[in-house]
Amino acid sequence: MKLTPEVLPSAKAVPGVDLSNCDREPIHIPGSIQPHGLIFALAEPELTIVSVSTNVKEWTGRPAAELAGQPVDVLLTEDSADALRRALADADPARGNPYSFSLRDAEAPAGWNGILHRHAGLLLLELERRDEAAPSYRISFDHVRALTQRLQAARSLDEACTATVAEVRRMTGYGFAMVYRFLPDAAGQVVAEDRAEGMPSYVGLHFPASDIPAQARALYVRNPSRNIPDATYTPSPLQPDADPRNGRPIDLSQAGLRSVSPIHIEYLANMGIRASMSASIIRDGRLWGLVSCMDREPRYPAYEIRQACELMANALAWQIGVLAEIDAANYRVRLKTLQAKLALDMGSAADAHEALRHHSPALLQAVDASGAVLWAAGTLTRVGKVPTEDQLGPLLTWLGTNMRGEAFSTDRLPSLYAEAGNPLPPSTSGLLAVPLSRSGNDMMLWFRPELLQTVQWGGDPNKAASPAAADGRLHPRKSFAAWAEQVRGRSKPWEPYEIAAALEFRDMAVDLIVRRSTELERSNAAIKQSADRLETFVHIASHDLLQPARQIETLTDILHDMIPPQEAADPDAAEVLQGIRGVSNRLRRLIGDLADYSRVGRGAQPFEPVDLDEVVAEVQEMLAKQVVEAEGRIIVESLPMVVCDRRQIRHVILNLLSNALKYRSPSRSLHVRIYAASGDDEASKARLPHGQPGGVTATICVEDNGIGFDPAQAKLIFEPFRRLHASGHYEGSGVGLAICRKIMERHGGTIQASGREGHGSTFRVTFPVRGAYPSNA
């Protein structure tokens, strides 16, 4: 069904017409008009004739070719010419349409309705014969008022559209009237109709976007009224069809007499229609639909009737807006109630992710969604029917590239997002996404399922034209019988107020994130302050305690020298002195280790690229004597370069190698292997403290064949003062590995241990290769 009166530029351009280029045709410059009126293109201010329709000869006896460059006064009576100049004193003379004009002709002067438009540097004067029997403005006004009263009582879109088509057909007398609504994809649907007996029904049928191309839709906004009294007319060409001053074609965008595309004429013929009239339904500057009338016989509606139809279309547009606002207002009331409850409940949530998990039914209900996803601060939370994590990664990346403005919404995600080999499930056919930050990295997503539906088309939408015939032309389809198609991959469209609700929930989530972030920063600052005070206390205490420990050792030596030789030989006395000396030595080492533990963040060096091969070589040189005495062997494989504090990492490696020497097995020679882990095994895929899953990391391992330990104790050995072996057998304070862990935490890395009793131990030290490194801590 072809509702638009224009697809191609001119009735004289019939040969070679191709339906595939409708959107590119200059339909605003057809070069001819419908012959039930006259048109003059005039140059101001002289009002000389630039172009005129050739049918002027039929009414005035003057050939069009003789009129170019002549003043319009040669065709208008003196009174009409004066009236024209008075009308042009108004900055917008179209506001006074129609004007009453008369032509100079051989016969008795006839009355004409004059319609004025200024456009593209020309004044267009259209003349249509005045029908003295046409309904008066008062009668037309009565029809508009009757419709307005019915529209005010309408409580649904269906009621409003049904009332409109009934009143339009009653006023115009056409055999068929309909309301044709444009859908989001520019396809159309007949939502209401009123018809005479014997006229076919199209209500509920859909029509492809190609039936009313983009150019035609744009013209319906610029010129909201269109009239084809008799589709079997012979076009009247313009003489000339271009402005001789600049060579440009005469632009007839605003002209009601503008000629009709031959393709559309053929559409009407295929439908058995000879007369067509339409008025645009425009909301917020956009074409919402059309009020369209058709008949099998010619009809010449008066200008007053066409104006009344335009007013009715405007009244319907107003009521559509009122009904939409009522729906939106009711929704906002429900939404505000829901938001108030959510705001109260979310206030106790730890973060936005917990709020989504605990209040997902309300958050989904607010935008009529079946699933939601929150991606914020490196954490992904999924509720309801949503894509898998593997599918969400590429989708979030795609959204980051395609996101424009405050929100992204679609009811056909699968067709927009065609990832090869990674199809999305039907439960995610609709997507509404809002960014949580200016960068667009964090997002909140809502999903809707596929709305499986059967669409009734007015003819096969895949066959908008029949194949080229013997004349070389494509012809519009001849059948407009209902044709059913099952539509998949589409969801219920997102309403503007639902998108607004999503933005409001975005703001609530951002507020919660900011609030919790601020609280966390305060808590972290307080914890850091307490930790700094504790470290200061430990540092001062350890420094003050070292002096008494050294004095105990000194006094023990003095006491040993003061004991007479015969008494010093007493085993009991010697054991007591040795015990005092051992305890004081252990106390001094423990205090020293505590001082080292407190100094991890004090006097630390900035991070820099460090070759771990060089660091291990330095540690081997420091321990060379002990390794020889232990008859040990250390094998070092190629190690990576990492960004670190060289002195602290040397301390970590020194501690690990010293422990390997200390806890070697007495039954076999010491064997230590230092190597870089591949990262493929599970043990090396540690979750780093900054939240990045393993992957971009560097891991080195220190593996020995010593006495090992119980695997259940793997985490305990990094606690301060935790010793897995009796102090009488192995020296140490139990602080060394705690210091190593604290150093690795400062580096944003980890240290882990694994082992088996009697079989040895393996320590894994993992560094982040990329990411945020603290400059000092």
Side-chain angles (χ1 to χ4, degrees):
M1 178 179 186
K2 190 67 174 177
L3 299 179
T4 177
E6 47 267 329
V7 177
L8 296 174
S10 171
K12 65 183 180 181
V14 171
V17 171
D18 183 350
L19 293 184
S20 65
N21 63 5
C22 290
D23 276 338
R24 300 188 299 274
E25 291 297 334
I27 57 178
H28 58 298
I29 49 174
S32 62
I33 66 167
Q34 300 176 69
H36 62 277
L38 302 172
I39 193 166
F40 301 89
L42 306 176
E44 295 185 271
E46 296 85 0
L47 298 184
T48 55
I49 299 173
V50 172
S51 177
V52 62
S53 56
T54 56
N55 62 340
V56 68
K57 184 177 181 180
E58 299 175 18
W59 299 100
T60 66
R62 302 285 299 271
E66 296 179 0
L67 296 175
Q70 297 291 316
V72 73
D73 304 67
V74 302
L75 293 177
L76 294 181
T77 63
E78 184 178 348
D79 289 343
S80 295
D82 290 341
L84 173 60
R85 288 182 170 85
R86 286 195 301 271
L88 295 179
D90 192 326
D92 182 11
R95 288 185 298 191
N97 290 333
Y99 297 91
S100 179
F101 293 137
S102 297
L103 289 174
R104 298 178 186 269
D105 53 21
E107 301 177 4
W112 296 80
N113 279 332
I115 298 97
L116 295 174
H117 311 282
R118 282 193 175 109
H119 185 67
L122 290 172
L123 174 69
L124 295 182
L125 169 59
E126 297 182 78
L127 295 178
E128 295 183 28
R129 289 294 299 268
R130 185 181 303 112
D131 183 0
E132 302 300 338
S136 65
Y137 271 113
R138 174 58 187 270
I139 294 175
S140 300
F141 174 76
D142 288 342
H143 284 287
V144 174
R145 182 174 58 183
L147 175 61
T148 302
Q149 292 172 345
R150 293 184 64 182
L151 288 177
Q152 289 175 340
R155 291 295 175 262
S156 68
L157 178 64
D158 181 66
E159 286 184 27
C161 292
T162 299
T164 300
V165 293
E167 193 64 38
V168 165
R169 200 171 84 83
R170 191 166 71 90
M171 178 181 68
T172 63
Y174 277 80
F176 185 93
M178 74 173 91
V179 171
Y180 182 92
R181 179 180 185 178
F182 290 100
L183 303 176
D185 60 353
Q189 181 185 18
V190 177
V191 296
E193 69 180 14
D194 192 271
R195 57 196 174 91
E197 185 177 353
M199 295 291 286
S201 174
Y202 297 109
V203 71
L205 296 186
H206 289 66
F207 300 88
S210 59
D211 272 14
I212 304 183
Q215 290 255 38
R217 295 194 298 272
L219 277 180
Y220 273 124
V221 175
R222 293 160 59 186
N223 189 357
S225 179
R226 192 65 167 122
N227 180 35
I228 307 173
D230 187 352
T232 63
Y233 73 93
T234 299
S236 178
L238 297 181
Q239 179 68 38
D241 62 359
D243 188 338
R245 300 172 302 172
N246 52 33
R248 296 174 183 171
I250 306 297
D251 189 333
L252 299 181
S253 297
Q254 304 297 329
L257 292 172
R258 184 178 70 249
S259 194
V260 185
S261 160
I263 293 296
H264 180 57
I265 295 296
E266 194 165 346
Y267 263 96
L268 294 178
N270 290 344
M271 295 175 65
I273 297 299
R274 286 189 64 177
S276 172
M277 181 180 68
S278 64
S280 303
I281 305 170
I282 298 173
R283 286 197 59 221
D284 301 323
R286 302 179 65 182
L287 185 63
W288 185 93
L290 300 171
V291 175
S292 183
C293 302
M294 293 181 292
D295 209 312
R296 290 172 172 167
E297 299 297 330
R299 283 193 175 274
Y300 292 84
Y303 187 83
E304 294 82 358
I305 292 294
R306 303 201 307 265
Q307 278 193 318
C309 284
E310 194 172 330
L311 286 175
M312 289 180 171
N314 291 340
L316 176 59
W318 172 81
Q319 184 63 19
I320 291 171
V322 170
L323 292 172
E325 184 56 36
I326 291 173
D327 288 343
N330 292 335
Y331 175 82
R332 284 194 292 268
V333 170
R334 297 193 303 270
L335 181 63
K336 289 301 180 184
T337 303
L338 185 61
Q339 284 179 330
K341 183 178 184 303
L342 279 173
L344 183 63
D345 294 341
M346 291 173 68
S348 60
D351 55 30
H353 294 280
E354 180 181 321
L356 176 59
R357 288 191 296 269
H358 290 177
H359 306 291
S360 57
L363 288 169
L364 296 180
Q365 177 188 353
V367 294
D368 193 18
S370 58
V373 170
L374 176 63
W375 169 249
T379 301
L380 186 70
T381 298
R382 303 161 58 243
V383 297
K385 297 178 180 179
V386 298
T388 65
E389 289 195 25
D390 291 340
Q391 293 169 331
L392 280 171
L395 178 59
L396 287 166
T397 302
W398 180 81
L399 280 171
T401 303
N402 291 276
M403 180 74 72
R404 299 291 184 274
E406 283 195 302
F408 173 91
S409 64
T410 177
D411 62 350
R412 58 191 71 191
L413 180 60
S415 62
L416 288 181
Y417 177 72
E419 281 286 331
N422 189 25
L424 293 173
S427 59
T428 59
S429 294
L431 170 64
L432 172 57
V434 293
L436 300 181
S437 61
R438 290 184 178 178
S439 66
N441 293 330
D442 295 343
M443 291 187 190
M444 195 163 185
L445 315 178
W446 284 270
F447 292 93
R448 275 180 177 168
E450 174 185 63
L451 184 63
L452 190 60
Q453 57 182 322
T454 298
V455 174
Q456 297 287 335
W457 294 92
D460 186 344
N462 301 311
K463 296 180 180 179
S466 56
D471 59 5
R473 294 174 50 202
L474 289 176
H475 294 270
R477 62 173 177 265
K478 294 180 172 59
S479 173
F480 296 91
W483 188 89
E485 180 184 40
Q486 195 174 56
V487 177
R488 306 201 63 122
R490 300 273 294 272
S491 74
K492 173 186 172 186
W494 302 94
E495 297 293 341
Y497 52 78
E498 292 171 332
I499 297 174
L503 292 173
E504 292 188 31
F505 282 112
R506 182 272 310 272
D507 294 340
M508 293 175 65
V510 170
D511 287 344
L512 181 59
I513 291 172
V514 171
R515 186 166 67 252
R516 291 293 180 257
S517 176
T518 301
E519 293 173 356
L520 184 60
E521 287 179 2
R522 291 173 180 169
S523 299
N524 288 340
I527 292 172
K528 187 178 185 303
Q529 187 178 28
S530 298
D532 289 344
R533 289 174 180 172
L534 180 60
E535 286 189 0
T536 300
F537 170 76
V538 172
H539 177 74
I540 295 173
S542 60
H543 180 271
D544 292 345
L545 289 174
L546 276 175
Q547 186 62 27
R550 294 193 188 98
Q551 290 178 349
I552 292 174
E553 292 182 355
T554 301
L555 292 173
T556 302
D557 292 338
I558 293 173
L559 180 60
H560 179 272
D561 293 341
M562 292 175 59
I563 297 176
Q566 62 275 14
E567 295 182 13
D570 184 350
D572 293 337
E575 184 178 353
V576 170
L577 288 174
Q578 186 61 31
I580 294 173
R581 185 178 287 109
V583 169
S584 63
N585 285 338
R586 286 183 56 202
L587 178 61
R588 182 167 50 81
R589 286 197 300 272
L590 177 59
I591 294 172
D593 287 343
L594 280 174
D596 290 342
Y597 185 81
S598 69
R599 282 196 298 266
V600 169
R602 294 173 178 274
Q605 300 299 312
F607 294 147
E608 61 181 352
V610 173
D611 188 340
L612 292 181
D613 283 327
E614 295 179 1
V615 175
V616 172
E618 293 174 10
V619 173
Q620 281 186 284
E621 186 176 347
M622 296 168 63
L623 298 176
K625 181 179 179 181
Q626 292 93 315
V627 172
V628 171
E629 291 175 352
E631 298 180 350
R633 181 186 178 198
I634 299 178
I635 298 175
V636 182
E637 300 177 5
S638 179
L639 300 178
M641 179 174 286
V642 298
V643 178
C644 65
D645 181 332
R646 184 187 187 98
R647 183 180 61 81
Q648 288 188 341
I649 296 306
R650 182 174 58 209
H651 180 93
V652 171
I653 296 174
L654 176 61
N655 186 282
L656 296 179
L657 286 180
S658 297
N659 282 350
L661 289 167
K662 183 190 303 184
Y663 298 108
R664 65 183 181 271
S665 173
S667 61
R668 53 182 175 270
S669 298
L670 174 64
H671 182 91
V672 180
R673 177 181 169 228
I674 305 176
Y675 60 93
S678 65
D680 296 332
D681 55 319
E682 290 300 321
S684 64
K685 294 179 180 177
R687 183 172 291 275
L688 302 178
H690 53 70
Q692 296 280 347
V696 191
T697 60
T699 300
I700 64 170
C701 299
V702 179
E703 181 182 274
D704 64 55
N705 63 343
I707 62 175
F709 59 86
D710 183 353
Q713 306 295 316
K715 293 184 179 180
L716 298 178
I717 61 176
F718 295 103
E719 297 296 328
F721 312 114
R722 176 72 67 170
R723 296 175 57 85
L724 304 185
H725 307 285
S727 59
H729 294 86
Y730 301 95
E731 294 183 352
S733 63
V735 180
L737 288 178
I739 293 175
C740 292
R741 183 177 67 176
K742 192 172 182 181
I743 289 173
M744 292 312 300
E745 287 175 349
R746 176 185 174 242
H747 283 72
T750 61
I751 181 170
Q752 298 172 299
S754 59
R756 290 173 55 197
E757 287 187 293
H759 291 80
S761 308
T762 300
F763 287 84
R764 298 175 181 272
V765 181
T766 300
F767 300 85
V769 172
R770 291 200 300 266
Y773 290 94
S775 60
N776 212 338

